[in-house]
Amino acid sequence: MSDVVEKTLTALPSLLSLDSQPGSAKLSSTSKLGNLIRGITELTSKHEEEKLIQRELVSIKEQVSSPNTSMRQMKELMVRAIYCEMLGYEASFSYIHAIKLAQQGTVLEKRVGYLAVSLFLNESHELLLLLVNTVLKDLQSTNLIEVCMALTVVSQIFPRDMIPAILPLVEEKLNHPKEIIRRKAVLALYKFYLIAPNQVQHIHNKFRQALCDRDPGVMTASLHIYLQMIQENPEGYKDLTSSFVTILKQVVGGKLPMDFNYHSIPAPWLQIQLLRILSLLGKNDQSTSEIMYEVLDESLRRAEMNHNITYAILYESVKCIYTIHPKSGLLEKAAKCIGNFVLSPKINLKYLGLKALTYVVQQDPKLALQHQMTIIECLDHPDLIVKRETLELLFRITNAQNVTVIVEKMLEFLCMSKDDYTSTDLVGKVAELAEKYAPDNEWFIETMNTVFSVGGDMMQPDIPNNFLKLLSEGFDSVEEDRKLRLFAVDSYISLLQGEPGKLPQRFLQVISWVLGEYSYLKEELEPATVLRLLAKVLDMKQTSSETKSWVLMAMTKLCQGGNGLSVTQEVSETYSSSMDTVLRQRAQELQHLSQDSDLQPRVLPRDANLEPLEVDSSLSFLDGFVSEALAAGAAPYKPPHQRQEELVQAKVLSLEPYGLSLPISMSSCNIADRQSPTLLSMSSGLSGDSTDLSHKGGSTTLKLDGVKRVWGREGYLSQKELMEEAVQIEAPSPVRSPNHQAEDDGSQSQAATPTQTSEPEPEKQQLASSLFVGLGSQSSVCLMGKSEATPQRFRRKAKGQSSSSEPGTQISYSLVSPPSTVDNLLCNNLLDSNINSGETSEVSGGHTTPNGTCDVEAELTDSKIKGRYLTGDSGLAAAAPSPHEEPNRPKDICLSSHLPAELSGLFHSEITPLCSSQCLHLSACHVQKEDSLVLVIFISNSSDCAIQQTLLDLDSEQLEVSSASDSPVEEVRGHSVAVCQYSLTVKRPSAHVEVTGMVSYLFCAEMPQAAQFSYKLSLTSFIRPLMVSTEEYGTMWLTFTHDTKQNLALISDGQEPLTATLNVLKKKLQLHVVEIIGMEGIVACQVLRNQPCLMHCRVHAGMLAVWMRSPVPDLPDCLIYHCQRALQEH
C-alpha cells in the first residue's frame, strides 16, 4: 500500500490542478487541495489540525451529496478525502461516491475513483460487492487504460471469494498484444496464487508462457510466482533450471534495455530474484548445480563493489554458492567476498558480512576462524545491530567447549538491551544453549535463573514450561535427575530468603512449582520452612493473581501429614473469600487436603514414575450430553474466532452460480465441528498449574540432526580428512571486487608475507581462543543445529522406539513422486534471439528412480558406468534408474513374490528402490486395502554374511505411521529378503504426503551404518468411497463447516456431460456417486481414516460448479486439486 500512497502523492499535482493546463506539474495556488495543505502546514498544534480537518470533511460531505456536483468536481473532492484519510481521519461517507466515480465519468475521473477505492477499502469490506460489475466491464473494455486500472485494483483488494468471477477474464489477458496488460495480468495471478493457490492450479502452463514472454517486464513479473512455487516444490521445476540460467546470463551480460539499469547495474532486482530461485533448485542436486556454476562465477566477477545494490547482488550470490552443490573455486571467491564485507570499515557492509558469515558458518566453520579478531571487535561495536548479529553468529558456532563464554556474552548484552524483541529472542537462544550444552548442573540452574531474572515476563511462555517439563520428565540417569532437582531446590530457597520482591512473576511461578514438587528431596529442609517462605510471596503487593494460584498449589502439595498446619489454615482463611474464583478454589483445596492426611497423597502423589496421565483435550465424555442438547434444539457451540469469521464472511460476496438442491439453506448453517480426541501424555508430577506444559508446540528452531558436513572451502570433505591449517588473520583491506582481489592474490603469492601493523591485545586473543575453540579441525565438535557427535548434558528420556545411538555413517536420500508431464515451452523470444530451443528444453540430469529423483551426497565414481551409480563414504549408494543392471544386486530375486500372503492378491504400486549399498538394498511399495494403506518395505541382503541389528524408523508430519508387522526385523540372512509392513492413515491432509525414514544396521562386525530415505505418495491413495444415502448426505452436509468452491471443466465421452465427468472422478479418485438428478449430482468420499468429504456439483454455463464440504480443514482444497488433475489427465 505504501507504493500506492507514494504514487498518489506524486500524481496529485498533475491530476487536480483545476485551474492549470492538463499535465502541469504545479499545484494551482487557487486549488482547494492546495489551500488545505497550506493551511495544515501553518498550524501549530494537533488540536487546530483536528478542527480544520473536521471542517473540511463537513464541507466535502455537503458537496458530494449535492446533485449539482459535476464529475470533475467530484474528482477533486475524492482526492481531498484521500488526503484526510491519509492523515488518519475517517471519511467513510465518501466510500460509496468513490465507487460511483470509478463506474462513471472519463478515464481520468475513473482513475481517481479506482485510486480512492484501493485506498479506502480492504479485502473484507462490504462495498466491494458494488465494484464487481464495474471491474468485469472494464476488463472487457477496448480501452487499455481501463483494463490496466481494473487489473490493478483486482491485484490489490479483491478477496478469494471473488476470484472465480474474474479469473477467466484475467487469464485471457495473458495473451493480450500489449505487454503492460500481460504484466499486470501476471501480477494479478500472483496475488490469486498467494490467497487461493488451488484456484490457479490449472493454469501453470500459462505461467511458463509468461516466463518465456518476449517482454522482460512480463518475464520479471512471472518470477514472483515461480519463486513462491519453487519454495513449495523445487522438484517439480528442475527442468526450468537451464531457462533461469540463460535469463541470468543475458541479464548479467547487459542484454536488457538500458531502462532496466539501476546505477549502471543491469536489472539488479531481477538478478537477486533469479539467484534466490537458483539456490532453491540447486540445493542437494549436483547435476542441477553444475548448470549454474558458470553464471554464478560471472555474477561475482561483474559485480563491481561500488554501490549498495551490488552488495545485495554479491550477498545473494554468496548465499546461492553455499546453498547449492559445492565447487571449490566458487567457494574460494565467495569466502573472499565475505572477508571483504567483514573487514570493511563501513557499518552496513560489516553487518552484511556478519549476516553472510552467519549463513555459511554451518557449512564452513573454519571461515569464522579467519576473522575471529574482527568478530571479537564487533562484540564491543557501538552499533547495537552489529553487536546483535555478532551474537547470532556466535550462537551458530556454539559447541560444548565454548558454550560458557558465548552464553556469558549473550547475558551481558541482554542486561543492557532495552529492545523487547532483542531481549525475547536472546532469552530463547540462551535457554536453548543451556539445555543443549550445559557442562554441569550448577551452571545450568544458575544460567536459567539469570534467564528468568533478566528476561522477566517478556520471555515466551514455552521457556519456563520447557524448563519445568525437563525437570519433571527427567533424563537417562536417575542420579542426575536427583542432583539437578536438589540443586534447583537449594538455589530457589536461597532466592526466597533474599529479596523475592525483585523477581519477575514467571520466575516466582517456576520457583513455586519446583519447591512444591521436589523440596522433599532436601531431607534437612522442613516443609513448614518452605510454607512460610511461600506465604511471604503471597503477602507481597506486586504478586499477581496467577502467581498466587501457583503458590497456593505448591502449598497444597507441601501440607502432607499436617505440616505447617497453622500457616496453611491462615492462608486458606484469607483467600477463601477472595474475589478471584481461581484463588477461592485453590484456597478450598488447600484447606480440605491439609486436614485430610489420607486423601492428600492420593490426589497429589510424590512419585513421578507413575504411568502418564491421558488427557482428553476434546472433552469427548460430554458428547452424549451435547447430542441430547442439539436434538432438543440447542445452538451448537462456536469458538470466538469462528464467530468472528462468520461475521466477516456474511458481508462478503457469494459467487455461487446456482440454487441449492437440498431442502434447507446450507449457506446459513455453519456448525462447528468437534476435534477428534487427542490424548496428551503428561507426567503425574506435572500437577497443579503445570497442566499447560504439554499443550505448547515444539521448538521453532531448525533441526538438522543427522546432517553431515560434507564440503567446505577445499571442496568435498567426505572423501578425505581435512588437514589442520594454520589460522591466518586477514589484515583489513579496502573493499574490492572478486576479480580485482584475485589479481592481488596472485601478486601477493610471490611476495613475502607482510608484517602485521599491530598485535592483537592479549585479552582479545584469550577471548578468541575461548570462543572459537573446536572449530579448527574436523573433530567431534557439535555446532548448534548440527548433528551431535557427543551426547548432550541433559538428554531427555526417549519416548517410543529408540534408535541406535552408536556412531555410524549416514547418507541422506530423497525419494519423490514423478512430476506431472508438462509441455516444455520454447523460449525463442526470451530476452534475446540467441536463446535456442536446446537451451530451454534441457532437463537437469538427475539420479532417477521409477518413483522419482534420488539425491545422494556422494560423487560420481565412473562417468561411464551405465545408470550413473553413486557411492558415498559408507558404501551406500543411490538406487540407479535400472536396478537390474547393478552388478552387486541379485538378479533372480523378484520382490513381488515376497509380498505377504494377505497382500499378494491386492493392488500394489510399482516396487521402487529407496537406497542400496554393496550388501543391503531397500525397496518399497504401497498396497491399497479397503480400510487402510499398507507401506511394504523390502530389505534385501545380497551378500553371504548376515546383516544384524537392523532397525527401521519411520515418521511423517502428515501421516500416522504404525507398524503392521508381527515382529520387528532384526536380522537379514545372506541372499534373502525381509519384509516390514506399516499402516498409514492421514493425520493432516495435503495434496502430497511424505514418509521419511532411517535404516541402521551392522554388517560383518563393522561400524554401524545408517541411511535416510523418503517416500512420497499422493492423497488419492488414501481416498475411499463413502457409501451413504441421500438423506444421510443431507444430514452430514449441515454439520460440516470447512468448504471450498471451484468451477471444473466438463467431459463429454458420448454421454451426458455430468454423468461422464462424475464417472471419470469415480474411476480415478474412488468417489461414490450418491445420486444424479437432472443437472445436479452429489458425491461422497472419505480419506483414511474416517475423514469424510461431500461434493455437490451442478452444470452451469458449460462448467461443472463444485462445492465441497468436510469437517477436516484443508481437505476440500486438496480434493479439489486432485479433481482438477484427474479431469486434465483424462
Side-chain angles (χ1 to χ4, degrees), residues 982-1017:
Y982 295 88
S983 178
L984 306 180
T985 55
V986 176
K987 176 172 57 177
R988 180 171 59 85
S990 178
H992 297 89
V993 294
E994 181 180 21
V995 178
T996 58
M998 174 182 288
V999 57
S1000 59
Y1001 60 96
L1002 187 65
F1003 178 66
C1004 294
E1006 296 178 355
M1007 290 291 293
Q1009 301 185 23
Q1012 294 178 342
F1013 58 88
S1014 62
Y1015 188 84
K1016 288 191 176 181
L1017 305 96

XYZ file of all heavy atoms in Angstrom, residues 982-1017:
283
model
N 3.864 -51.324 7.316
C 3.452 -50.179 8.116
C 2.084 -49.703 7.627
O 1.866 -49.584 6.421
C 4.466 -49.032 8.013
C 5.809 -49.366 8.600
C 6.794 -49.980 7.825
C 6.092 -49.103 9.934
C 8.030 -50.298 8.368
C 7.334 -49.422 10.485
C 8.296 -50.021 9.703
O 9.510 -50.333 10.239
N 1.198 -49.473 8.565
C -0.132 -48.968 8.239
C -0.100 -47.448 8.246
O 0.396 -46.829 9.194
C -1.156 -49.483 9.253
O -2.437 -48.959 8.984
N -0.627 -46.831 7.175
C -0.601 -45.382 7.024
C -2.019 -44.834 7.010
O -2.879 -45.354 6.304
C 0.103 -44.977 5.718
C 1.507 -45.531 5.471
C 2.040 -45.038 4.133
C 2.448 -45.125 6.587
N -2.261 -43.818 7.784
C -3.525 -43.084 7.747
C -3.203 -41.595 7.771
O -2.155 -41.179 8.268
C -4.421 -43.434 8.951
O -3.692 -43.215 10.163
C -4.877 -44.881 8.884
N -4.117 -40.793 7.252
C -3.879 -39.358 7.115
C -4.125 -38.660 8.445
O -5.189 -38.819 9.051
C -4.779 -38.764 6.008
C -4.591 -37.248 5.931
C -4.456 -39.402 4.669
N -3.140 -37.878 8.869
C -3.262 -37.075 10.076
C -3.597 -35.622 9.738
O -4.411 -35.000 10.383
C -1.964 -37.161 10.871
C -1.912 -36.299 12.110
C -0.661 -36.592 12.934
C 0.599 -36.396 12.131
N 1.815 -36.598 12.933
N -2.928 -35.100 8.726
C -3.157 -33.719 8.276
C -3.199 -33.729 6.759
O -2.195 -33.984 6.102
C -2.039 -32.802 8.779
C -2.184 -31.359 8.378
C -1.164 -30.499 9.111
N 0.195 -30.917 8.840
C 0.898 -30.514 7.781
N 0.357 -29.702 6.899
N 2.137 -30.915 7.604
N -4.352 -33.488 6.155
C -4.478 -33.607 4.698
C -3.537 -32.666 3.956
O -3.342 -31.518 4.343
C -5.944 -33.237 4.432
C -6.637 -33.455 5.727
C -5.632 -33.144 6.785
N -2.959 -33.182 2.879
C -2.117 -32.405 1.987
C -2.195 -33.057 0.622
O -2.451 -34.265 0.510
C -0.678 -32.370 2.496
O 0.141 -31.637 1.599
N -1.986 -32.258 -0.436
C -2.096 -32.813 -1.788
C -1.126 -33.957 -1.988
O -1.437 -34.950 -2.654
C -1.849 -31.716 -2.824
N 0.068 -33.859 -1.425
C 1.058 -34.922 -1.479
C 1.632 -35.087 -0.079
O 1.917 -34.101 0.603
C 2.172 -34.608 -2.482
C 1.697 -34.491 -3.890
N 1.264 -33.289 -4.422
C 1.558 -35.415 -4.870
C 0.887 -33.483 -5.676
N 1.054 -34.752 -5.979
N 1.802 -36.320 0.336
C 2.289 -36.618 1.674
C 3.611 -37.371 1.555
O 3.911 -37.975 0.522
C 1.264 -37.439 2.485
C 0.024 -36.622 2.758
C 0.890 -38.716 1.756
N 4.368 -37.356 2.629
C 5.704 -37.937 2.593
C 5.978 -38.698 3.872
O 5.625 -38.264 4.963
C 6.754 -36.834 2.399
C 8.183 -37.353 2.333
C 9.192 -36.243 2.143
O 8.858 -35.076 2.455
O 10.308 -36.508 1.684
N 6.623 -39.849 3.718
C 7.091 -40.645 4.843
C 8.614 -40.618 4.814
O 9.226 -40.946 3.794
C 6.594 -42.101 4.768
C 7.136 -42.913 5.934
C 5.085 -42.150 4.763
N 9.225 -40.169 5.884
C 10.678 -40.170 5.987
C 11.107 -41.291 6.911
O 10.369 -41.687 7.823
C 11.193 -38.828 6.529
O 10.599 -38.589 7.813
C 10.819 -37.694 5.590
N 12.279 -41.806 6.679
C 12.729 -42.927 7.486
C 14.232 -43.031 7.537
O 14.960 -42.369 6.796
N 14.697 -43.878 8.451
C 16.124 -44.161 8.588
C 16.294 -45.649 8.842
O 15.536 -46.243 9.615
C 16.730 -43.349 9.738
C 18.196 -43.707 10.030
S 18.884 -42.777 11.411
C 19.019 -41.173 10.652
N 17.257 -46.253 8.180
C 17.602 -47.648 8.401
C 19.013 -47.699 8.962
O 19.931 -47.036 8.449
C 17.497 -48.475 7.090
C 18.366 -47.897 5.992
C 17.860 -49.938 7.358
N 19.208 -48.413 10.042
C 20.534 -48.628 10.618
C 20.767 -50.129 10.731
O 19.831 -50.902 10.969
C 20.633 -47.961 11.991
O 19.652 -48.485 12.863
N 22.017 -50.540 10.545
C 22.317 -51.967 10.543
C 23.797 -52.170 10.832
O 24.608 -51.244 10.778
C 21.945 -52.599 9.198
C 22.680 -52.020 8.008
C 23.835 -52.616 7.505
C 22.226 -50.860 7.390
C 24.506 -52.078 6.429
C 22.889 -50.319 6.314
C 24.039 -50.935 5.828
O 24.706 -50.399 4.758
N 24.151 -53.435 11.128
C 25.526 -53.830 11.402
C 25.869 -54.960 10.454
O 25.183 -55.979 10.409
C 25.664 -54.278 12.861
C 27.073 -54.565 13.357
C 27.901 -53.280 13.358
C 27.033 -55.146 14.770
N 26.954 -54.753 9.695
C 27.336 -55.731 8.678
C 28.733 -56.252 8.975
O 29.711 -55.491 9.017
C 27.294 -55.088 7.290
C 27.721 -56.011 6.173
C 26.960 -57.125 5.855
C 28.882 -55.779 5.463
C 27.341 -57.973 4.831
C 29.273 -56.620 4.449
C 28.502 -57.724 4.114
N 28.828 -57.584 9.204
C 30.113 -58.269 9.387
C 30.975 -57.603 10.465
O 32.181 -57.353 10.265
C 30.878 -58.330 8.065
S 30.071 -59.358 6.816
N 30.366 -57.269 11.583
C 31.072 -56.710 12.741
C 31.784 -55.406 12.425
O 32.734 -55.020 13.097
C 32.065 -57.735 13.301
N 31.337 -54.679 11.377
C 31.924 -53.386 11.072
C 31.235 -52.303 11.901
O 30.402 -52.573 12.745
C 31.778 -53.094 9.577
C 32.545 -54.059 8.690
C 32.331 -53.741 7.212
O 31.513 -52.838 6.932
O 32.966 -54.381 6.364
N 31.610 -51.077 11.626
C 30.947 -49.966 12.308
C 29.480 -49.901 11.891
O 29.142 -50.204 10.749
C 31.634 -48.657 11.941
C 33.024 -48.505 12.545
S 32.967 -48.310 14.319
C 32.193 -46.723 14.455
N 28.591 -49.502 12.814
C 27.170 -49.376 12.430
C 27.014 -48.367 11.290
O 27.688 -47.349 11.235
C 26.501 -48.870 13.721
C 27.444 -49.231 14.805
C 28.821 -49.178 14.232
N 26.135 -48.690 10.371
C 25.867 -47.819 9.237
C 24.399 -47.430 9.231
O 23.541 -48.164 9.735
C 26.235 -48.505 7.913
C 27.704 -48.910 7.838
C 28.080 -49.465 6.481
O 27.420 -49.174 5.494
N 29.134 -50.270 6.447
N 24.120 -46.275 8.656
C 22.744 -45.771 8.636
C 22.515 -44.986 7.361
O 23.446 -44.454 6.753
C 22.459 -44.894 9.856
N 21.272 -44.936 6.941
C 20.900 -44.179 5.736
C 19.502 -43.628 5.924
O 18.646 -44.249 6.564
C 20.963 -45.056 4.492
N 19.287 -42.451 5.379
C 17.975 -41.823 5.410
C 17.324 -41.920 4.039
O 18.009 -41.901 3.020
C 18.098 -40.356 5.828
C 18.574 -40.163 7.257
C 18.718 -38.698 7.616
O 18.783 -37.838 6.736
N 18.780 -38.397 8.898
N 15.998 -42.017 4.038
C 15.265 -42.087 2.778
C 13.897 -41.464 2.987
O 13.493 -41.174 4.117
C 15.130 -43.539 2.301
C 14.442 -44.447 3.295
C 13.052 -44.575 3.303
C 15.176 -45.144 4.245
C 12.426 -45.386 4.217
C 14.545 -45.971 5.162
C 13.166 -46.090 5.151
N 13.202 -41.229 1.906
C 11.846 -40.700 1.983
C 11.014 -41.307 0.861
O 11.547 -41.704 -0.179
C 11.844 -39.170 1.886
O 12.371 -38.759 0.645
N 9.732 -41.363 1.096
C 8.802 -41.974 0.149
C 7.570 -41.091 0.088
O 6.938 -40.836 1.105
C 8.430 -43.380 0.627
C 7.612 -44.189 -0.360
C 8.229 -44.907 -1.382
C 6.221 -44.247 -0.273
C 7.489 -45.655 -2.284
C 5.480 -44.991 -1.172
C 6.114 -45.700 -2.172
O 5.381 -46.429 -3.065
N 7.257 -40.589 -1.107
C 6.128 -39.680 -1.278
C 4.952 -40.381 -1.924
O 5.120 -41.233 -2.796
C 6.539 -38.472 -2.124
C 7.450 -37.500 -1.389
C 7.616 -36.207 -2.150
C 8.449 -35.205 -1.358
N 8.597 -33.916 -2.072
N 3.767 -39.994 -1.464
C 2.534 -40.541 -2.006
C 1.568 -39.404 -2.287
O 1.682 -38.322 -1.723
C 1.866 -41.523 -1.020
C 2.663 -42.702 -0.492
C 3.257 -42.358 0.862
C 1.773 -43.941 -0.351
